[in-house]
């Protein structure tokens, strides 16, 4: 049964790609939770964990190829933000030369490179106008809700972990709960912020189940940062998505925020009552431990002017801490030094500036404000996450949404130049319809 559902999902996305190649991202952005569900429900997928990765990567490649054939991938291929990301990653790679643990560094890069290339540098090429954003966000809401329900009700959980069908002796009990929680957080944000077209009343009804499924999945996986970060991002950008100078809409946004907080509390009480996992003191203590790891890395980096300026070398935290410090800005400052930190800081500040410029450009346009809230809200969500989990080479979702914010800025500027003409394109004549 699970193999049939899996195949039907991939086949449906492939059909959608004929009209809108950006539909490839529906699979790509669900890749990790989809792989966990498939491995937990089917021996076939459990024995072939790389299959979902290959399918997702192939669909993204096909999407880029079709967009190119249709002449929709114009020069320059990437906005400035993508070039800054490339500069940061290339500099991080160059620091391998003086890294104290070159072997570990090469292994880490080898594992991360397929995701870096696919998610950061290929996936954004499938999105060339606001209609592509509609395809991705509506597809993520529908497919993500179904996948969340499957993860909640059709797999076996042990604590925070989804248990695969057969656990090998000495093998891991389950997959990464954080990627499952991230799906829940994404559903929370999109269900609150995305606006389906007026001619899609059936899909409008889906938003409540999507919200409940997202909250339940984030809480069930025990992903504290995902749950809190999603509620914060959804509430903040719900306010920003409302037309300016509209106090009634502002009050309704505050009501939505209050409802989110109450529902999140209920989800925590249902799944983690009495465990203390979501207690403020426990969360503060866990973050303090990660902060201390980052400060230990920085202490080593301050040992010489060279390492302070240019960093200890990528992946050097494995030698010093046994693992990365889970706070990406501190990791970059320690491993890539002030040079790398300035690149990352410039990227964050530039993206925030682009987002504010986009908000001014789109004015009171409800459709564009809704899309802006989704793009910027997901970027803010991922920014919060890289400050409590993962490493530079695992921050591909953050970098993907950084590029998406930049691309949305292009759409907003082109639309303003063309008097709000739908489907305006940047390459060539900005007002030429696609």
């Amino acid at each position: 049964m699970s193999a049939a559902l899996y195949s039907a999902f991939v086949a449906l996305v492939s059909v959608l790609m004929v009209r809108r190649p950006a539909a490839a991202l529906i699979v790509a952005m669900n890749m990790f939770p989809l792989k966990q569900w498939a491995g937990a429900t089917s021996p076939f997928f459990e024995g072939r964990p790389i299959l979902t990765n290959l399918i997702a990567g192939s669909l993204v490649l096909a999407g880029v190829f079709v967009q190119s054939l249709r002449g929709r991938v114009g020069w320059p291929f990437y906005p400035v933000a993508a070039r800054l990301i490339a500069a940061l990653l290339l500099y991080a790679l160059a620091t391998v030369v003086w890294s104290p643990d070159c072997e570990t560094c090469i292994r880490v890069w080898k594992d991360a490179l397929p995701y870096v290339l696919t998610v950061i540098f290929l996936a954004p090429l499938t999105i060339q106008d606001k209609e592509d954003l509609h395809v991705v966000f509506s597809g993520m809401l529908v497919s993500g809700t179904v996948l969340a329900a499957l993860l909640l009700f059709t797999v076996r959980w042990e604590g925070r972990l989804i248990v695969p069908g057969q656990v090998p002796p000495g093998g891991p009990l389950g997959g990464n709960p954080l990627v499952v929680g991230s799906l829940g957080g994404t559903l929370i944000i999109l269900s609150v912020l995305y606006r389906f077209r007026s001619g899609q009343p059936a899909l409008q009804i889906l938003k409540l189940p999507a919200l409940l499924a997202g909250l339940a999945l984030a809480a069930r996986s025990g992903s504290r940062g995902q749950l809190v970060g999603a509620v914060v991002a959804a509430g903040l950008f719900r306010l920003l998505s409302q037309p300016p100078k509209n106090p009634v809409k502002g009050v309704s946004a505050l009501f939505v925020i209050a409802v989110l907080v109450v529902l999140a509390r209920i989800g925590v009480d249902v799944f983690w009552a009495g465990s203390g996992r979501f207690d403020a003191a426990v969360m503060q203590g866990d973050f303090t431990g990660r902060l201390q790891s980052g400060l230990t890395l920085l202490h080593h980096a301050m040992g010489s002017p060279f390492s302070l300026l240019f960093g200890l070398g990528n992946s050097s935290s494995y030698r010093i801490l046994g693992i990365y410090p889970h706070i990406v800005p501190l990791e970059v400052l320690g491993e890539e030094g002030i040079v790398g930190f300035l690149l990352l800081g410039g990227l964050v500040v530039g993206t925030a500036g682009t987002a504010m410029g986009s908000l001014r450009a789109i004015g009171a346009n409800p459709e564009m404000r809704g899309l802006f809230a989704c793009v910027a809200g997901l970027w803010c969500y991922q920014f919060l996450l890289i400050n409590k989990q993962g490493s530079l080479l695992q921050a591909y979702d953050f970098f993907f949404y950084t590029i998406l914010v930049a691309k949305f800025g292009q759409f907003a500027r082109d639309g303003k130049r063309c008097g709000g003409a739908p489907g305006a394109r940047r390459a060539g004549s900005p007002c030429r319809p696609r």
Side-chain angles (χ1 to χ4, degrees):
M1 180 63 180
S2 58
L5 285 174
Y6 185 103
S7 301
F9 174 50
V10 174
L12 178 59
V13 170
S14 301
V15 171
L16 292 174
M17 285 177 60
V18 174
R19 179 173 177 80
R20 280 286 173 179
L25 300 192
I26 299 172
V27 174
M29 304 314 292
N30 283 320
M31 175 170 54
F32 295 114
L34 176 63
K35 181 163 64 172
Q36 286 200 43
W37 170 77
T41 56
S42 168
F44 175 82
F45 291 108
E46 183 186 358
R48 299 165 177 81
I50 198 173
L51 181 60
T52 301
N53 301 37
L54 294 175
I55 290 174
S58 299
L59 290 174
V60 170
L61 280 172
V64 175
F65 180 70
V66 173
Q67 293 282 46
S68 300
L69 283 181
R70 294 176 179 175
R72 303 186 72 207
V73 181
W75 179 262
F77 299 141
Y78 297 106
V80 173
R83 292 170 235 167
L84 274 176
I85 293 170
L88 173 59
L89 293 175
L90 288 173
Y91 176 71
L93 181 60
T95 65
V96 173
V97 174
W98 58 86
S99 175
D101 192 352
C102 189
E103 183 178 349
T104 298
C105 191
I106 292 173
R107 174 179 57 81
V108 170
W109 272 91
K110 183 180 177 182
D111 291 342
L113 193 58
Y115 304 109
V116 168
L117 294 177
T118 302
V119 178
I120 300 177
F121 294 109
L122 289 178
L125 295 178
T126 66
I127 298 179
Q128 295 298 325
D129 60 20
K130 65 183 179 69
E131 298 303 321
D132 290 332
L133 291 175
H134 277 296
V135 169
V136 174
F137 292 148
S138 61
M140 279 289 294
L141 259 177
V142 175
S143 63
T145 303
V146 174
L147 182 56
L150 292 173
L151 288 167
L152 287 167
F153 301 114
T154 67
V155 302
R156 184 163 64 94
W157 291 76
E158 290 286 349
R160 303 176 58 205
L161 305 179
I162 293 174
V163 181
Q166 297 178 350
V167 181
L173 180 62
N176 186 348
L178 296 179
V179 299
V180 176
S182 292
L183 170 61
T186 300
L187 285 175
I188 294 170
I189 291 170
L190 290 179
S191 63
V192 172
L193 300 179
Y194 182 66
R195 297 173 178 172
F196 285 103
R197 305 300 183 102
S198 57
Q200 299 175 316
L203 292 179
Q204 295 285 359
I205 301 173
L206 176 68
K207 297 182 73 173
L208 180 57
L211 174 62
L212 297 177
L215 286 163
L217 192 61
R220 181 67 185 87
S221 63
S223 303
R224 299 168 298 190
Q226 276 76 356
L227 183 60
V228 174
V231 170
V232 169
L236 173 63
F237 285 91
R238 176 76 180 190
L239 285 170
L240 291 177
S241 69
Q242 304 304 321
K245 301 178 182 179
N246 191 330
V248 175
K249 291 292 182 69
V251 171
S252 69
L254 292 174
F255 174 76
V256 169
I257 295 172
V259 170
L260 285 176
V261 173
V262 171
L263 290 176
R265 182 70 254 182
I266 292 173
V268 170
D269 289 341
V270 168
F271 294 111
W272 296 96
S275 73
R277 177 166 179 79
F278 282 83
D279 288 351
V282 174
M283 295 171 66
Q284 181 180 2
D286 289 346
F287 181 77
T288 300
R290 296 181 180 186
L291 181 61
Q292 184 59 49
S293 295
L295 294 177
T296 300
L297 181 66
L298 292 184
H299 177 74
H300 283 77
M302 294 172 67
S304 74
F306 179 89
S307 59
L308 180 61
L309 182 59
F310 300 106
L312 293 165
N314 188 256
S315 300
S316 57
S317 54
Y318 286 86
R319 173 68 63 88
I320 298 168
L321 306 171
I323 194 172
Y324 45 82
H326 290 83
I327 301 178
V328 173
L330 293 183
E331 176 204 345
V332 170
L333 183 56
E335 293 186 352
E336 282 75 41
I338 293 175
V339 173
F341 189 76
L342 288 176
L343 286 171
L344 178 62
L347 188 67
V348 172
V349 172
T351 302
T354 298
M356 290 188 290
S358 298
L359 195 58
R360 289 192 296 268
I362 59 181
N365 185 315
E367 179 191 16
M368 292 297 286
R369 289 186 80 89
L371 289 175
F372 165 81
C374 291
V375 173
L378 288 167
W379 176 79
C380 178
Y381 172 56
Q382 292 297 329
F383 177 71
L384 293 175
L385 293 186
I386 67 168
N387 282 279
K388 70 94 184 176
Q389 71 182 48
S391 67
L392 175 67
L393 294 183
Q394 295 173 351
Y396 20 82
D397 285 340
F398 167 70
F399 290 132
F400 168 77
Y401 285 113
T402 298
I403 295 174
L404 218 56
V405 171
K407 292 179 77 72
F408 184 87
Q410 294 175 353
F411 304 156
R413 290 193 300 272
D414 290 347
K416 187 176 182 180
R417 259 199 318 269
C418 301
R425 68 177 297 170
R426 187 169 186 267
S429 172
C431 301
R432 181 163 64 89
R434 294 185 184 274

